[in-house]
Amino acid sequence: MFKAKRVPDDLVRCTISFTVNNQEFGITNVDPNKSLNSWLRENCMTATKVMCNEGGCGACVVSIYRPGNDSPIAVNSCLMPLYTVDGCNVITADGVGTLKQGFNEIQERLSQFGGTQCGYCTPGIVMSIYSKVVSSKPFTEQDMENHLDGHICRCTGYRSILDAARSFADGNEIDIEDLCIDHCKKRQGADCGDHKVKKSVLKMPPSTTRWFRPETFEELKGIMNDKAKFSSSSSFVCANTSKGIFKSTGQPLPRLIIDISRVEEFLVKQVKTCDDKRWIAVGASVSINQLCEVLLSQQTMKQRGNIFQRAVKHLKKVAGNPVRNVASWAGNVMIKYRHREFPSDVVVVLEALKARVNVYDSVTGQMQQYGVLGNCGLMDADMAKKVIVSMDIPIPSKKEDEATVFRTYKIMPRTQNSHAYINAAFRVMINGGRFDEDVCVVFGNIRFDFDHAVRTETCLSSKEVTEDTFKTALEALRGELQPEKVDDVDVSEKFKQNSALSLFYKFYLNCVPPSHLDVRVFSATLDLERDLSSGTQAYLTNAATSPVSDPIPKLSSYIQTSGQAYFLTDLPPSVNEVHCAFVLSDRGNVDIEQINESFAAAQPGFVTLITGANFPKDLKNARFGHLDPIQPLLTSIHVDYAGQPIALVIADSEEQARSIAAQVTVSYKNQGKVLIKTRDSIQAEAFYDLNLPDIVIGYPEEAMSSAPNSVCGQIDLGSQYHFYMESQIARAETTDEGGFVIEAATQCQKWIQEAVSYVFDGLPANSIEVKTKRIGGAYGGKATNSIPIALAAALGAYVTDRPCRFHADLKTCMASLGTRLPYSLNYTVGFDDDGKLLALDWSVYANTGVSKIDSEIDDDNEFRFFADSAYFCPNRRIRRFACGSNIASGTWCRAPGSLQLSAFADTMMEHIADYLNKDSIAVKLGNLYQTGQLALDGQILTDCRIQEMFECLLKKANVAKRQIAIKNYNQNNKYKKRGLAVTPMKYPVTWQSVKFTVLISIYTDGSVVVSHGGIESGQGIDTKIVQVVAYCLHIDVEHIAVQRTTTITSANSEVTGSSTTSEIVCRSAQRCCEILVERMRVVKVKQTRHLTWEELVTACFDADVDLTASCQRAPPDHKLGARTYNIWGVTATEVEVDILTGQHIVRQVDLVEDAGISLNPVIDIGQIQGAFVMALGFWLNEEMVYSSNTGKLLTDGTWEYKPPTTKDIPVKWNIELAKSKNNIGLYNSKATGEPPLCMAVSAFHAIRHCIDDSLHERHRKDGFTKLQQPLTPVNVKEALDLEPIQDFSVFSCSIM
C-alpha cells in the first residue's frame, strides 16, 4: 500500500517575490484567485489595461522574463494568476519607455506609423512587439505578423500597427540594445540587479483557498497523498487560461490549488530512443508554443517532414500567442475532459500524432498510459486523484513520414484566435496505392460521444485508393456522424455533417497522386493561404496651410504607447469609494417573482442592493432620463429583455460588486414568447406607432407597372456590437452643494447632465458637472448607452453618500446595452433591358428593441441621404416601420442607417445584373449619378465626381484584367473560387444644428490651452484642433495643449458623432483664434520692432488684452437641416473562397475616397482603415446570437463574438485620398470616420460572386442568391448547397 506523506510546510505558498519594471515586490498571503492584471491595477500600475478578462482582446498583455530565461514572453495578465509570477520579471508598457524617461523605439515607430487611435489597446500591442523584438531568436516579417494574432483593435484596421511591427524584422536596421531595458539583461558589465529599487512588501487579505507549488514530482506526490488536504475537488493549474472560457464568477472556489507550472519533471522536452524507435517526451507543463518548438526542433528535423510541420501549423491556430505562450497542452486536454463541448484543437492533433499520455494515480502510486481519444483513451478514464505527467509522441522514420498523408483542418469564425466550428485530423500511410491498415479519422465538435470515425477508418483500412473506396467511406462517414447541435450558439447539424464530409473529401484528394487528379479539383488539396499584408496610401497636402493638412502623428500617441494616457478606468479609487454592478435578468418577456439577496448580502464587501421596489421614492426610475422616461433603470415587475438590469449591487470593491451581483438569485413567472429577429416582429406585427409618412419621389406605381423588367426580394441584416476597448465606466461623487461631479466615458456630457437632472427631480444643470479626458473607443456605443451607467453611479453615490464607480464588464455591456439596429428590407425594383433603374419600392424595417429611443427609422434625412447611395432613380417609394422586440434598445453604431441603406441600394444593382446576366460593374456604372441630376435628398448635384472616380479606379486597379484572370481561375478550380465587386458611394454630410463650445486661453508664457466640447475617442480631434490653432495663431504645435472636456468650460455641447465633430469644433476654434488675433493686433501694430510670440503675449497682457476667447460657433447652414457637402468614394474588393469549408480571405481592396484636402492624412487614413475593417466585421464575421427560448444573448464575450483581427484585413490594401475642392469644409477638408463603412459591402458581393460561380457550375443556381449576413463559413456553406455524395468525385471531375 502506498503510504501517504505529510505536505511539507514550505510547499504551502504564502509569500511571493517578483519585480515590475525594476521594482521588487514581496507579497504575503497571496490570494490564489487574484490575477496579475488586477494586482497591477489595484496598485496604481495602470499602464496595463483591462477589457475582456478572457484573454481574447490583448489589451492586458505584459512581457514576462521567467527565472533562468533571457527572452521574454508576452502573456495575458488578466488570465495569469498573481502567484505564478513568483521569481519573474514583469515588464509593462511604461517600463519600456515614458514621457519622463524617453520613449522606446517600438513606441516611437508605432506612433510615427499612425498605429494608435483611441490608444486603449496600444500598451498591450507594444508589449507583444517588445517580447518578439528583444528575444534572442531571429524573425521575419511574417513571423511578426503571426505573433500579433492575440490582439483586437477596433480603431485602426491593423495595417499601420503591422507596418510598424514588421519594420523590426530581420533585414531592417535596428539596434536591439536600444530596445532592451536595463532590467532584462546584463549590459555594459552591470548586473541587472544593480538597477532595482527598494523592495516593497505588501500584504493581501487571507484567502480561503490554499495554494501549493511543488517543484519536483516527489513533492507533488507528497501533496496528492496527504488525505487531509488533497481531494478530488482540488484543482491543478499551470497557467489557468481556461478561466477565459469557463468563468467561475459567483461560484464556490476550490479549497486547494496546486500549481504544477514549475514541477521539474513536468517541464521536460527531449527526444528519447529505445531500440529503433524514437519519440518526443513532453512534460505536462510545457506550453503549446513550446510544444510547437519541440516539434520543429533540429532534433526532429532529420526524420520529420510533413507530419510535425502540419501539426504545428494547426496548433498555432489555438487561441492567441499570449495564451499559447503559457497555456499547457495538458491543460487544454483536461479542459476537453471536463467540458466535452469544448472543441479542442490540441486533442484532435495529438490523437493524430499518436500521442500517449502518462498519468500518475495517487491512489495506487502507479503510472498509467492512455491514448488521447478512442476506446480506453484518456477521455474515458476516471481522472479523480490523478494528474497528467507527460506524453510521448512517436517520431516517424523518414520513410514513414514520406509515405504518410497527415492532414488537419479547422473551420472557424475568423482566421485566427478562434475556437473551431468543427475540426478534424487524418493520418494514414499509403504504399503502392493502398492504405495501410492503421487509419486515423478524427473529428471535433460533432457530438459529445463522437471522435474517431470508426466505420470510416474500417472502410479505408488496407483498401486501394480508388473512387469506389472513397464513395464507400463517404457513405459510411455520413451514416456514423449523426451530429448534434449543443445549443443555440452552436452550428447546425447540417453544417457539421456537410463540413465533416467536405473535410474528408479534402483529405482523400491528398491521398491521390496529383498526376491522377483532375486539375480542377487539385486546389481543394491545398489550404486557403494568406500572403504577408501589404498596401499603399496616397494623399496630397497643402503646404500653404501647414501644419494643417500635415501628416503628423496624434499628439497623444506617444503617451498612449506607454500606457500613460489617462483613461477613467486608470483612476485609483478614493479611500471611501464604493463600486456597483448590475444584476441582469437572464430571460426576457417574463415577470419577476422574487429577488433573493440573502446569500449575496452575506458576502464580504456588500454595502447595499437597490431594486426597482426599493428605488428611492424622491427619484425617477428612468434608464435614459428625459430621453425616454418609460424605460426603468431597474425593472421591478416585468422584464422586457434578457440582460435588463433588475438590481444594482453596491460593494466595497469592483471585484466584490461583480461577484455579489452574480450571486443574487432571481425567480421568474409567466414566461412569454420572445421576439428576437426582425422577421419575428414583422410576423407578429409588433410595430411602434410612429405614423411615418412614405418617402416618395416621382411616380413609382406607374413607373413600376410599365417597367420592362422587375425583380423582388428580401434582405435581412443583423446587429453588431460596438466593441469599444474601454468598457462603459462612470464615477459619481456628491458635492457639498447637493449636486454631483460625474466623470464618464461618454460621447455626450450634455445628455448625462440632463438625465441626472431629470432623475434627481429637476436638479439644476449648474449643480451637475460632467467631465471627460478621453475615451477608449465609442463608435456610437457611448452616446445614449453611457447614460444608464452614469445614472447608476450617481444613484450609488446618492444612496451611500460615498463616491461611487460603475465599471461595467464586457458581458454587462454586451447583454444590457443596445447595439447596431438590425434591418430588413422587402423590395421591388423595375428596370429596362440595359439595367437602368426605373422604379424602386421599398419597405424598410428597423428592429429597435424594447424602445424606439434611437430608432433611426424616423430620421427622414437618414433615408433621403443614404437610400439612393450613388445611384439615380427617378421614381421611388420608401415605407418605414419601427419594430419592437425583446432585445435591448438599439442604438447608433458607426454609420448608423447609412451602412444598411447604402448596402440595400448596392444590392439592387447586383440583383438587376444577375437577372439580366450582365456584369454588375457595368450595371452600376450605368446607374451612377451625374452632375445636374436631382438626388433623393432634394439637392441638385453640382459636385458629382462619382463617374470619374469610378472609371479611374477601374483603370488604376486593373479591374478588367483581373476579372479575366478571375474567370480563368474559376474555370480551372472547382473548389476554390475568386470574386471581385465594386461599390460606389455618395455620402452626404450634414452639420444640422450641432454645436460645440471651445475655450482657448493664452498664458503669459506664451503657452496655449484649449478645452472643447468634443470628446476625444481616437478620431484625432485634439490633434486636428491643435493644428488649426497653431495655423491661426502662427505658432508651433508644441505651444498648445488640449485639456479635458467639462460641462463648465464647454457648456451645452452636443453629442460627438456623425464624423463631423472634429471639423465643427475646429471651426469654433478657428473663430476663437480670430477673436484673439484681432484683440492682439491692436497691441502688435503699436510695436516699433518685431516681437516674438512670447513677447507679444506679454505685451498684450500688460495692455489688459483679454487672452481668453470662447465660441460656440454654429456651422453656416445649421438652419437648413440638410446636406452640407457630399463625400464620394469607390471600392473594389477581391476575395477567395474555399467552397468546401466556406472560409474566405480578402485578397485585395482598392479604396478611393474624396476627402477634400485632409486636415491630417495620417489620422484620416487611419479612420478609413478602421471604419472599413469594422464594416468587414459586420459583413463577414460578427454575429449576435440569442437563445430562442429566453432571448439571452449567447455571444456575450470574446469566446463567441469575433471582431476582425490582423489576418482578417485585406491582404493587399491600396488607399487613396482623392483631392477635391470643398469650399464649405474647413480648409477644404471633408469628414472620413464613417463613409468607408458603406463600401465594405463590396466584400459581401464579391463572396456572392464566388458562391454564384459554384452554384452555376453545379447547376444549382436558382435566381438571385439570398445570402445571410454575416458571411461566416456557416452561412457561406448554407448558400453553397453542397451535396457531398452527389458532388464529390476524386479521379474525374467533368463540368456538370
Side-chain angles (χ1 to χ4, degrees), residues 601-882:
Q603 301 307 303
F606 178 83
V607 175
T608 189
L609 182 88
I610 305 172
T611 66
N614 68 4
F615 203 89
K617 302 299 182 184
D618 52 339
L619 307 184
K620 297 184 180 72
N621 184 3
R623 176 181 174 88
F624 294 109
H626 64 299
L627 296 177
D628 183 4
I630 297 175
Q631 272 199 85
L633 179 64
L634 303 173
T635 189
S636 57
I637 300 174
H638 184 74
V639 176
D640 291 317
Y641 69 96
Q644 188 169 9
I646 291 177
L648 185 70
V649 169
I650 301 178
D652 288 334
S653 74
E654 179 182 294
E655 185 177 333
Q656 289 170 333
R658 292 176 179 176
S659 177
I660 293 170
Q663 297 176 67
V664 175
T665 58
V666 181
S667 57
Y668 304 91
K669 61 183 180 181
N670 304 326
Q671 175 72 63
K673 180 181 178 180
V674 290
L675 299 177
I676 301 299
K677 296 182 178 180
T678 310
R679 293 289 171 187
D680 297 336
S681 298
I682 296 171
Q683 185 176 3
E685 297 184 353
F687 303 125
Y688 289 103
D689 187 14
L690 298 181
N691 295 316
L692 298 173
D694 294 350
I695 297 175
V696 180
I697 298 293
Y699 304 94
E701 290 85 356
E702 294 87 341
M704 191 71 73
S705 62
S706 63
N709 307 286
S710 65
V711 293
C712 302
Q714 294 182 342
I715 304 172
D716 297 310
L717 303 179
S719 187
Q720 182 180 32
Y721 176 62
H722 305 81
F723 217 91
Y724 30 76
M725 295 301 292
E726 175 201 32
S727 56
Q728 300 277 356
I729 183 171
R731 182 185 185 276
E733 187 170 0
T734 57
T735 67
D736 55 1
E737 298 170 340
F740 291 96
V741 175
I742 300 173
E743 188 169 359
T746 180
Q747 290 175 250
C748 189
Q749 296 178 342
K750 180 173 178 282
W751 287 349
I752 288 180
Q753 188 181 50
E754 293 170 345
V756 171
S757 174
Y758 177 86
V759 168
F760 286 84
D761 198 27
L763 186 68
N766 63 6
S767 298
I768 307 164
E769 180 189 358
V770 184
K771 55 186 180 179
T772 309
K773 174 58 179 175
R774 64 172 59 85
I775 58 180
Y779 326 107
K782 292 177 180 174
T784 53
N785 272 353
S786 67
I787 296 174
I789 303 300
L791 288 176
L795 176 63
Y798 176 81
V799 169
T800 63
D801 202 24
R802 295 162 63 179
C804 182
R805 183 187 311 228
F806 189 178
H807 185 194
D809 60 15
L810 176 62
K811 290 187 178 297
T812 297
C813 292
M814 295 193 73
S816 69
L817 302 176
T819 55
R820 186 186 296 279
L821 271 64
Y823 273 62
S824 288
L825 171 71
N826 295 340
Y827 65 88
T828 302
V829 54
F831 49 95
D832 66 18
D833 292 339
D834 293 324
K836 201 84 166 182
L837 278 173
L838 299 176
L840 283 167
D841 190 340
W842 285 8
S843 291
V844 182
Y845 304 86
N847 186 347
T848 69
V850 298
S851 169
K852 59 184 187 299
I853 178 175
D854 294 335
S855 69
E856 301 170 8
I857 202 82
D858 56 355
D859 187 341
D860 280 7
N861 279 344
E862 191 80 20
F863 278 76
R864 292 185 181 275
F865 283 175
F866 301 111
D868 56 349
S869 186
Y871 305 114
F872 173 73
C873 181
N875 306 287
R876 300 175 184 262
R877 179 184 296 279
I878 302 175
R879 302 175 181 88
R880 296 170 290 163
F881 304 89

Side-chain angles (χ1 to χ4, degrees), residues 8-137:
D9 292 337
D10 61 349
L11 293 182
V12 183
R13 309 295 299 186
C14 297
T15 303
I16 64 173
S17 62
F18 56 94
T19 65
V20 179
N21 302 330
N22 271 346
Q23 182 175 358
E24 281 192 274
F25 292 91
I27 304 178
T28 61
N29 296 324
V30 178
D31 181 358
N33 305 298
K34 178 72 67 177
S35 73
L36 171 60
N37 183 270
S38 294
W39 182 87
L40 287 170
R41 296 184 62 79
E42 287 170 5
N43 287 275
C44 301
M45 288 175 268
T46 56
T48 303
K49 308 306 178 188
V50 63
M51 190 269 196
C52 70
N53 276 306
E54 297 175 335
C57 73
C60 68
V61 168
V62 298
S63 189
I64 287 186
Y65 290 85
R66 287 177 159 177
N69 288 303
D70 289 335
S71 294
I73 57 172
V75 301
N76 294 106
S77 63
C78 74
L79 298 180
M80 193 165 206
L82 177 61
Y83 60 76
T84 61
V85 301
D86 187 24
C88 294
N89 199 346
V90 180
I91 315 297
T92 63
D94 56 343
V96 172
T98 63
L99 181 65
K100 181 179 179 180
Q101 299 171 350
F103 294 102
N104 184 283
E105 180 68 17
I106 295 170
Q107 296 166 323
E108 290 181 352
R109 290 197 197 179
L110 198 60
S111 175
Q112 292 162 1
F113 276 78
T116 173
Q117 287 187 29
C118 86
Y120 198 82
C121 68
T122 307
I125 292 172
V126 167
M127 295 320 299
S128 272
I129 298 174
Y130 172 86
S131 299
K132 188 70 173 177
V133 170
V134 303
S135 67
S136 56
K137 300 176 182 177

Side-chain angles (χ1 to χ4, degrees), residues 1077-1140:
V1077 168
E1078 185 61 32
R1079 292 174 186 170
M1080 298 173 76
R1081 182 177 290 113
V1082 176
V1083 175
K1084 185 176 182 179
V1085 297
K1086 296 179 182 179
Q1087 305 304 311
T1088 59
R1089 65 178 181 87
H1090 172 74
L1091 299 182
T1092 65
W1093 167 254
E1094 290 80 5
E1095 290 172 335
L1096 177 59
V1097 169
T1098 300
C1100 289
F1101 179 76
D1102 293 340
D1104 294 331
V1105 173
D1106 185 356
L1107 295 177
T1108 297
S1110 178
C1111 175
Q1112 190 184 68
R1113 187 184 193 187
D1117 69 340
H1118 75 282
K1119 294 180 181 179
L1120 301 179
R1123 187 255 334 163
T1124 302
Y1125 58 79
N1126 289 313
I1127 299 169
W1128 305 92
V1130 190
T1131 294
T1133 299
E1134 182 181 337
V1135 303
E1136 184 171 354
V1137 176
D1138 186 324
I1139 301 300
L1140 295 176

Side-chain angles (χ1 to χ4, degrees), residues 511-648:
C511 297
V512 179
S515 60
H516 294 182
L517 288 175
D518 188 295
V519 66
R520 296 182 63 249
V521 302
F522 176 75
S523 62
T525 66
L526 307 174
D527 294 330
L528 198 59
E529 296 290 351
R530 176 189 171 89
D531 294 331
L532 186 69
S533 300
S534 64
T536 61
Q537 302 81 42
Y539 55 84
L540 297 173
T541 61
N542 184 2
T545 61
S546 180
V548 173
S549 93
D550 288 352
I552 64 174
K554 279 188 60 181
L555 298 181
S556 60
S557 59
Y558 287 96
I559 58 172
Q560 287 175 340
T561 63
S562 66
Q564 294 174 289
Y566 172 82
F567 294 92
L568 177 52
T569 54
D570 300 333
L571 180 68
S574 58
V575 174
N576 201 34
E577 187 169 312
V578 293
H579 300 255
C580 56
F582 280 143
V583 176
L584 303 179
S585 60
D586 59 8
R587 60 196 63 197
N589 196 16
V590 70
D591 294 333
I592 297 174
E593 184 174 50
Q594 184 183 22
I595 300 174
N596 188 344
E597 63 178 279
S598 56
F599 180 77
Q603 301 307 303
F606 178 83
V607 175
T608 189
L609 182 88
I610 305 172
T611 66
N614 68 4
F615 203 89
K617 302 299 182 184
D618 52 339
L619 307 184
K620 297 184 180 72
N621 184 3
R623 176 181 174 88
F624 294 109
H626 64 299
L627 296 177
D628 183 4
I630 297 175
Q631 272 199 85
L633 179 64
L634 303 173
T635 189
S636 57
I637 300 174
H638 184 74
V639 176
D640 291 317
Y641 69 96
Q644 188 169 9
I646 291 177
L648 185 70

Side-chain angles (χ1 to χ4, degrees), residues 798-1005:
Y798 176 81
V799 169
T800 63
D801 202 24
R802 295 162 63 179
C804 182
R805 183 187 311 228
F806 189 178
H807 185 194
D809 60 15
L810 176 62
K811 290 187 178 297
T812 297
C813 292
M814 295 193 73
S816 69
L817 302 176
T819 55
R820 186 186 296 279
L821 271 64
Y823 273 62
S824 288
L825 171 71
N826 295 340
Y827 65 88
T828 302
V829 54
F831 49 95
D832 66 18
D833 292 339
D834 293 324
K836 201 84 166 182
L837 278 173
L838 299 176
L840 283 167
D841 190 340
W842 285 8
S843 291
V844 182
Y845 304 86
N847 186 347
T848 69
V850 298
S851 169
K852 59 184 187 299
I853 178 175
D854 294 335
S855 69
E856 301 170 8
I857 202 82
D858 56 355
D859 187 341
D860 280 7
N861 279 344
E862 191 80 20
F863 278 76
R864 292 185 181 275
F865 283 175
F866 301 111
D868 56 349
S869 186
Y871 305 114
F872 173 73
C873 181
N875 306 287
R876 300 175 184 262
R877 179 184 296 279
I878 302 175
R879 302 175 181 88
R880 296 170 290 163
F881 304 89
C883 301
S885 64
N886 300 111
I887 62 175
S889 298
T891 192
W892 302 314
C893 184
R894 200 172 191 176
S898 56
L899 180 150
Q900 297 95 327
L901 294 172
S902 58
F904 290 162
D906 209 52
T907 304
M908 301 302 102
M909 301 298 103
E910 294 286 337
H911 197 162
I912 292 170
D914 182 84
Y915 180 86
L916 296 174
N917 196 27
K918 290 179 176 291
D919 180 10
S920 63
I921 296 176
V923 171
K924 292 177 182 182
L925 184 60
N927 281 286
L928 293 176
Y929 271 119
Q930 296 179 8
T931 299
Q933 287 182 328
L934 180 69
L936 181 57
D937 63 1
Q939 63 169 310
I940 301 295
L941 294 175
T942 59
D943 63 339
C944 187
R945 306 185 59 210
I946 190 60
Q947 190 139 358
E948 169 198 346
M949 292 176 64
F950 197 102
E951 292 175 344
C952 183
L953 178 76
L954 296 182
K955 184 177 181 180
K956 282 187 175 181
N958 295 314
V959 169
K961 184 177 180 180
R962 287 163 59 193
Q963 282 183 304
I964 295 172
I966 288 171
K967 183 179 180 180
N968 291 335
Y969 181 88
N970 290 343
Q971 287 176 343
N972 291 310
N973 291 277
K974 184 174 182 179
Y975 294 113
K976 292 270 181 29
K977 298 294 181 182
R978 292 176 182 174
L980 187 150
V982 180
T983 296
M985 173 193 71
K986 173 178 68 68
Y987 196 100
V989 169
T990 177
W991 289 334
Q992 295 182 342
S993 58
V994 178
K995 305 173 185 176
F996 297 93
T997 302
V998 174
L999 175 68
I1000 298 181
S1001 300
I1002 304 174
Y1003 293 100
T1004 55
D1005 64 353

Side-chain angles (χ1 to χ4, degrees), residues 1187-1248:
S1187 166
S1188 56
N1189 296 321
T1190 66
K1192 182 179 180 181
L1193 179 66
L1194 302 176
T1195 52
D1196 60 352
T1198 57
W1199 177 249
E1200 293 290 357
Y1201 192 79
K1202 300 298 182 183
T1205 59
T1206 55
K1207 295 286 186 68
D1208 297 297
I1209 69 173
V1211 178
K1212 185 178 181 181
W1213 196 354
N1214 303 312
I1215 298 175
E1216 179 183 350
L1217 299 185
K1219 184 178 179 181
S1220 66
K1221 290 184 179 180
N1222 181 27
N1223 296 329
I1224 300 174
L1226 184 67
Y1227 303 110
N1228 281 297
S1229 67
K1230 292 187 176 183
T1232 56
E1234 291 180 309
L1237 281 96
C1238 298
M1239 296 186 284
V1241 69
S1242 54
F1244 188 83
H1245 293 321
I1247 292 175
R1248 180 197 303 280

